[in-house]
Amino acid sequence: MNSATLIVNPFASGVTEERLASVERELRPGVELTVTLTERPEHATELARDLAGADRIYVFGGDGLLNEVLNGLDHDTVVGVVPGGRTNVVARALGVPRDPATAARALVSAPPRRISVGRANGRRFAFAAGIGFDAELVRRVDRLGRRNDGRRPGDLAFTWEAAKLLAGRRGRYEPALEIEGFGRAAFAIVANGHTYSYAGSRPLRVAPEARFELGLDLVAPQRLVPRAIPRFVVYAFRGGGERAEDILYGHDLDRIEVRCDRPLPLQVDGEDLGDAVSVVFEAERDAVSILAPNAGTFRA
């Protein structure tokens, strides 16, 4: 009998005892399943590292849990993502059903696909990383969660914090970093897939040409002024369109080097990595086998 491990973040917003029991029921037939709950930040990385050579690892939690597992993953282990977070970017981009039990049932027979991952100063990420504005927003929302029950707030909190952040800067972000080979920018987003995040059911496609099976894409506004904000919002919701002269773009890149004028917040997959003065983003091509139930949506 094949063996598999289910790594669970019990603090994730979509994880309950009842849902965990339903996920286990779907995964257990035909497999020797071990269930492990994370106890602290980075615990999933340690667990995945200890499972080197395992046939399959399922993760039940949000994108942060998947990020931790990827950073401890053995090359040959297949990963299945059961959505248990609030946004679940990777699971949705791979066509995994939103309901955890239905997702688990689909993953049992889903084919594995090879995808690339990114690295930011050595830290792996699955779908996106950023330095500057978006990382500062992640940090603000994380602080709200810590003040409440430790779980990340929803889309309204992100929208409200983004509005406050822009208001505090009077809608202006001046050039604050240098991207080697591209030039000066206010902030930078590096994408491994074109779905950067979701606003409810609406995908935000900041880098519409990015694909999981390719290298990294770069989107970096040179500066942000109040009159440009509506255009950037429309760009994100429509999935791109005509390229703007005041945004730096790069597609299918292997390496992106960024030097900041001052320490700026850095995030990967929505996880705050603290401040950085320089960041090297690298594409790790054909890096991971991940279960994708719906091949038709795999290129999201």
Side-chain angles (χ1 to χ4, degrees):
M1 180 178 290
N2 292 330
S3 63
T5 297
L6 174 63
I7 298 178
V8 183
N9 177 6
F11 304 105
S13 58
V15 175
T16 65
E17 291 184 4
E18 292 78 11
R19 288 174 179 169
L20 175 55
S22 68
V23 168
E24 288 187 51
R25 283 195 297 271
E26 296 294 340
L27 296 179
R28 282 193 184 281
V31 69
E32 184 178 335
L33 185 69
T34 300
V35 179
T36 305
L37 306 185
T38 60
E39 300 172 355
R40 58 187 180 279
E42 309 301 330
H43 189 198
T45 299
E46 300 171 16
L47 294 172
R49 191 173 293 125
D50 290 340
L51 291 169
D55 295 326
R56 185 168 290 195
I57 297 176
Y58 295 101
V59 297
F60 183 23
D63 291 302
L65 179 65
L66 175 61
N67 181 275
E68 289 191 14
V69 168
L70 290 177
N71 279 279
L73 193 64
D74 178 74
H75 181 77
D76 295 325
T77 302
V78 177
V79 179
V81 185
V82 180
R86 191 173 295 278
T87 309
N88 305 301
V89 174
V90 175
R92 293 164 75 173
L94 293 174
V96 178
R98 298 289 299 277
D99 175 71
T102 306
R105 188 181 316 126
L107 290 173
V108 169
S109 59
R113 301 290 184 115
R114 296 294 293 180
I115 69 169
S116 301
V117 297
R119 288 184 180 270
N121 287 349
R123 173 72 177 253
R124 275 179 162 180
F125 60 91
F127 64 93
I131 185 162
F133 171 75
D134 71 323
E136 189 173 356
L137 178 57
V138 164
R139 183 173 298 175
R140 283 174 171 244
V141 174
D142 279 349
R143 288 171 180 166
L144 289 179
R146 285 197 293 270
R147 285 200 297 267
N148 297 316
D149 60 0
R151 302 189 180 203
R152 177 166 287 178
D155 295 329
L156 287 178
F158 268 94
T159 303
W160 177 239
E161 288 300 315
K164 290 198 299 182
L165 182 55
L166 289 170
R169 300 286 295 263
R170 297 187 177 181
R172 293 183 177 274
Y173 273 79
E174 295 298 328
L177 50 84
E178 177 79 19
I179 305 172
E180 185 171 320
F182 288 89
R184 301 275 294 166
F187 54 90
I189 293 172
V190 177
N192 190 47
H194 75 61
T195 303
Y196 164 73
S197 188
Y198 288 86
S201 61
R202 296 286 300 275
L204 302 181
R205 297 189 174 102
V206 174
E209 296 180 5
R211 296 291 183 269
F212 281 132
E213 66 271 40
L214 300 179
L216 301 175
D217 278 28
L218 168 72
V219 179
Q222 293 176 305
R223 59 171 37 85
L224 188 64
V225 296
R227 68 176 181 274
I229 292 175
R231 173 165 56 87
F232 286 127
V233 172
V234 171
Y235 172 91
F237 276 99
R238 287 185 177 176
E242 184 178 352
R243 290 190 170 186
E245 294 182 355
D246 56 350
I247 300 179
L248 306 177
Y249 296 92
H251 173 60
D252 194 16
L253 304 174
D254 285 302
R255 185 179 177 93
I256 303 164
E257 296 187 37
V258 179
R259 296 184 300 276
C260 307
D261 298 348
R262 60 184 186 280
L264 293 176
L266 171 66
Q267 67 87 15
V268 296
D269 289 344
E271 298 298 300
D272 184 0
L273 297 189
D275 291 347
V277 293
S278 64
V279 186
V280 176
F281 299 98
E282 297 172 292
E284 189 180 347
R285 296 177 184 263
D286 191 33
V288 174
S289 292
I290 196 162
L291 299 173
N294 190 338
T297 62
F298 175 68
R299 299 182 70 84

